[in-house]
């Protein structure tokens, strides 16, 4: 087995990240791991006794959030069933439809036994369904208790993946344009490079950015991940981790980086509404563009250009100490167990979760670059074969300041959708009036959604 690794510096950064961005209920000590073979019935919140493969008579139904990981989860479920005889069903929600599908599935007789929330905002909707994981063997495997999602004294969720995103770039193309990563240390630098590439697009044969697709398979990169930057810097300036009334202090910076993306990409801004995530990937791997905003989870999609050609840069928006700015690192993926499921199904689900993060097979599927390629916040985390994960670790080791994931504090999925629609309309007609619609979607609708 590959040697085990979870960079201490990354764990510390992530502990601070979740504490700062998760509001007031993200830290609490959990329980100790229980000995293998202890099958005390689920439902006793003091000591769940889950150990993985313990002969539980129940079944598992996992509603998965990540479409890109569906094949691996399906295979992992089959392998677990072969090993234990316990049936595991995995259903994956369509991109951008998780909350809607979760509501539908939870209304059924055979509801999911394992589901997920994106942080405190998601937990607010589902806390009454969450089994208390305090004292569970899974909680005992956490590398830091800051990865537990708390509702008062109840451990309602546990993070299962730490991820990082930024500007993935093609080193060879950047070099062909006459630059290297050392030339890009700020938003001003990025703007200079991108606009120069655009000016010489016909000569070079490629664009600066892949298309900023705004259909459901791609718009989350901009209405959520890119929007995280102005939220993060506002929270930092105001010394807060959440708010009922965002001010939009850095929306001019958000506009500047959005303008840079859409006016220096592979297609006209008017076409972005029809562009997809697959389009962006295809443009990057066929070397039509230098920069592609995405995260460590996309390594398998872009690896074909060669590891020697892959790099990742921070997303600069012209705020803060850009010389020390790192990548965007965090999580919005918390496992929750349905407390309304049958006791035997709860036990089977706890066993499955524990097996996923402790067994050789489970760890290989979760951590290997040949499979999901996750960095997991558990003691068994493996050294990654995912180049982008290792680049992220290097940023932390070099002392940069990671941009915390504050988007789990966004008011609702509806808030994101309204913002996405406004961004799309603005891209097609870049007037001040249309940007005012974006501002209203960001600021006014934040307050409206938070008040519901």
């Amino acid at each position: 087995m590959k040697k085990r690794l979870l960079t201490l510096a990354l764990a510390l950064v992530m502990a601070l990240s979740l504490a700062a961005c998760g509001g007031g209920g993200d830290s609490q000590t959990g329980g100790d791991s229980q000995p293998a073979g202890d099958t005390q019935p689920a439902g006793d919140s003091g000591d769940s006794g889950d150990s993985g493969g313990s002969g539980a008579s129940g079944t598992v139904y996992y509603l998965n959030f990540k479409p890109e990981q569906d094949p691996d989860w399906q295979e992992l479920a089959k392998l677990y069933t072969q090993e234990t005889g316990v049936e595991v069903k995995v259903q994956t929600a369509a991109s951008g439809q998780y909350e809607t599908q979760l509501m539908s599935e939870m209304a059924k007789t055979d509801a999911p036994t394992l589901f997920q929330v994106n942080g405190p905002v998601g937990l607010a909707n589902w806390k009454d369904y969450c089994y208390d994981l305090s004292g569970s063997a899974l909680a005992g495997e956490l590398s830091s208790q800051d990865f537990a999602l708390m509702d008062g004294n109840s451990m309602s969720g546990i993070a299962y993946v730490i991820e990082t995103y930024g500007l993935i770039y093609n080193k060879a193309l950047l070099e062909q344009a006459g630059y290297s990563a050392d030339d890009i240390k700020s938003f001003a630098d990025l703007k200079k490079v991108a606009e120069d590439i655009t000016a010489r697009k016909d000569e070079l044969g490629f664009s600066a950015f892949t298309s900023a697709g705004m259909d459901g398979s791609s718009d989350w990169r901009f209405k959520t991940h890119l929007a995280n930057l102005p939220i993060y810097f506002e929270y930092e300036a105001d010394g807060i981790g959440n708010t009922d009334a965002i001010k939009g202090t850095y929306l001019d910076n958000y506009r500047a980086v959005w303008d840079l993306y859409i006016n220096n990409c592979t297609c006209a801004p008017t076409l972005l509404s029809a562009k997809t995530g697959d389009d962006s990937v295809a443009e990057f791997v066929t070397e039509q563009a230098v920069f592609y905003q995405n995260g460590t989870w996309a390594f398998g999609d872009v690896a074909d250009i060669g590891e020697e050609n892959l790099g990742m840069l921070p997303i600069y928006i012209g705020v803060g100490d850009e010389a020390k700015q790192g990548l965007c690192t965090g999580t919005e993926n918390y496992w929750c167990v349905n407390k309304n499921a049958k006791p035997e199904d709860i036990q089977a689900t706890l066993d499955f979760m524990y097996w996923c993060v402790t067994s050789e097979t489970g760890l290989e599927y979760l951590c290997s670059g040949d499979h999901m390629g996750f960095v997991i916040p558990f003691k068994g985390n493996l050294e990654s074969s995912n180049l982008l994960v290792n680049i992220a670790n290097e940023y932390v080791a070099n002392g940069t300041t990671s941009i915390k994931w504050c988007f789990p504090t966004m008011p609702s999925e509806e808030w994101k959708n309204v913002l996405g629609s406004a961004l799309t309309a603005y891209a097609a007609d870049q007037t001040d009036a249309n940007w005012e619609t974006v501002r209203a979607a960001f600021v006014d609708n934040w307050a409206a959604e938070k008040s519901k």
Side-chain angles (χ1 to χ4, degrees):
M1 182 181 291
K2 303 171 186 174
K3 70 176 182 179
R4 300 176 181 271
L5 171 70
L6 183 59
T7 304
L8 181 60
L10 179 58
L12 177 59
V13 168
M14 287 311 309
L16 293 174
S17 297
L18 291 177
C21 291
D26 272 10
S27 62
Q28 177 80 12
T29 56
D32 296 328
S33 178
Q34 302 302 318
D38 181 355
T39 56
Q40 180 175 329
D44 181 348
S45 62
D47 184 3
S48 67
D50 46 303
S51 58
S54 61
S57 60
T59 61
V60 181
Y61 172 14
Y62 178 31
L63 184 61
N64 171 42
F65 173 77
K66 290 176 164 294
E68 66 272 21
Q69 262 76 52
D70 179 70
D72 285 315
W73 277 116
Q74 298 294 346
E75 185 64 24
L76 195 58
K78 290 178 184 177
L79 292 172
Y80 184 75
T81 299
Q82 290 172 9
E83 181 175 319
T84 66
V86 175
E87 179 186 351
V88 178
K89 172 187 174 183
V90 177
Q91 184 168 333
T92 299
S95 180
Q97 299 299 312
Y98 189 82
E99 192 76 6
T100 300
Q101 188 160 347
L102 180 58
M103 287 190 287
S104 174
E105 293 299 307
M106 280 298 197
K108 297 179 181 179
T109 302
D110 296 322
T113 63
L114 178 60
F115 63 100
Q116 66 185 77
V117 298
N118 69 349
V121 172
L123 179 61
N125 294 330
W126 295 102
K127 62 182 181 179
D128 292 339
Y129 290 80
C130 295
Y131 178 85
D132 184 3
L133 296 167
S134 302
S136 67
L138 181 71
E141 289 298 313
L142 281 169
S143 58
S144 168
Q145 297 303 316
D146 291 288
F147 297 116
L149 183 62
M150 305 300 298
D151 178 31
N153 293 323
S154 176
M155 188 182 295
S156 295
I158 289 178
Y160 68 90
V161 57
I162 302 166
E163 297 176 302
T164 296
Y165 67 92
L167 279 179
I168 301 171
Y169 69 95
N170 184 318
K171 292 180 181 179
L173 292 187
L174 189 59
E175 184 177 344
Q176 287 180 40
Y179 300 99
S180 73
D182 290 336
D183 296 310
I184 306 174
K185 301 294 185 182
S186 66
F187 175 75
D189 292 342
L190 179 63
K191 187 173 189 291
K192 175 185 175 182
V193 171
E195 291 181 345
D196 182 48
I197 290 172
T198 297
R200 297 186 289 133
K201 178 180 177 181
D202 293 339
E203 167 198 339
L204 293 170
F206 52 81
S207 301
F209 296 95
T210 61
S211 56
M214 293 303 289
D215 88 316
S217 68
S218 177
D219 64 348
W220 51 269
R221 294 188 291 140
F222 312 108
K223 70 185 184 183
T224 303
H225 284 186
L226 187 62
N228 183 76
L229 276 296
I231 296 170
Y232 165 80
F233 285 112
E234 182 172 324
Y235 283 5
E236 287 292 296
D238 294 349
I240 59 176
N242 201 346
T243 183
D244 289 336
I246 200 82
K247 295 184 294 188
T249 307
Y250 299 104
L251 284 185
D252 286 347
N253 303 86
Y254 185 41
R255 181 179 187 177
V257 72
W258 182 235
D259 284 350
L260 193 67
Y261 281 8
I262 65 180
N263 293 321
N264 296 277
C265 73
T266 54
C267 71
T270 53
L271 302 178
L272 293 177
S273 62
K275 289 292 183 177
T276 68
D278 287 342
D279 290 331
S280 295
V281 171
E283 291 160 11
F284 188 76
V285 299
T286 57
E287 301 193 323
Q288 297 177 49
V290 179
F291 303 108
Y292 168 48
Q293 185 194 299
N294 217 328
T296 51
W297 55 87
F299 174 66
D301 294 333
V302 301
D304 285 347
I305 72 166
E307 292 194 13
E308 70 279 6
N309 289 324
L310 276 177
M312 189 182 288
L313 289 168
I315 301 174
Y316 298 113
I317 67 168
V319 183
D321 186 355
E322 294 184 297
K324 295 182 179 179
Q325 182 178 325
L327 303 173
C328 302
T329 301
T331 189
E332 63 165 350
N333 298 282
Y334 294 87
W335 273 334
C336 303
V337 175
N338 184 0
K339 74 177 185 181
N340 298 322
K342 298 175 183 176
E344 61 268 28
D345 293 344
I346 291 176
Q347 183 63 55
T349 301
L350 294 171
D351 290 345
F352 174 65
M353 297 162 74
Y354 183 82
W355 178 87
C356 284
V357 305
T358 58
S359 72
E360 183 171 352
T361 301
L363 289 169
E364 176 69 16
Y365 269 76
L366 288 178
C367 301
S368 167
D370 294 331
H371 295 289
M372 300 186 207
F374 291 162
V375 175
I376 59 173
F378 299 99
K379 297 172 184 176
N381 184 69
L382 302 180
E383 181 176 5
S384 181
S385 58
N386 180 325
L387 174 69
L388 299 180
V389 166
N390 295 328
I391 290 173
N393 287 340
E394 288 176 11
Y395 270 94
V396 174
N398 289 336
T400 61
T401 301
S402 296
I403 301 299
K404 306 178 184 77
W405 281 22
C406 299
F407 52 81
T409 68
M410 289 174 176
S412 65
E413 195 64 29
E414 177 63 15
W415 181 88
K416 298 176 190 178
N417 292 337
V418 171
L419 178 61
S421 296
L423 287 172
T424 305
Y426 171 79
D429 184 13
Q430 297 169 42
T431 65
D432 289 344
N434 280 339
W435 186 257
E436 173 57 25
T437 302
V438 175
R439 189 211 63 79
F442 202 102
V443 176
D444 300 344
N445 201 40
W446 182 292
E449 288 294 305
K450 284 280 191 177
S451 68
K452 290 183 179 179

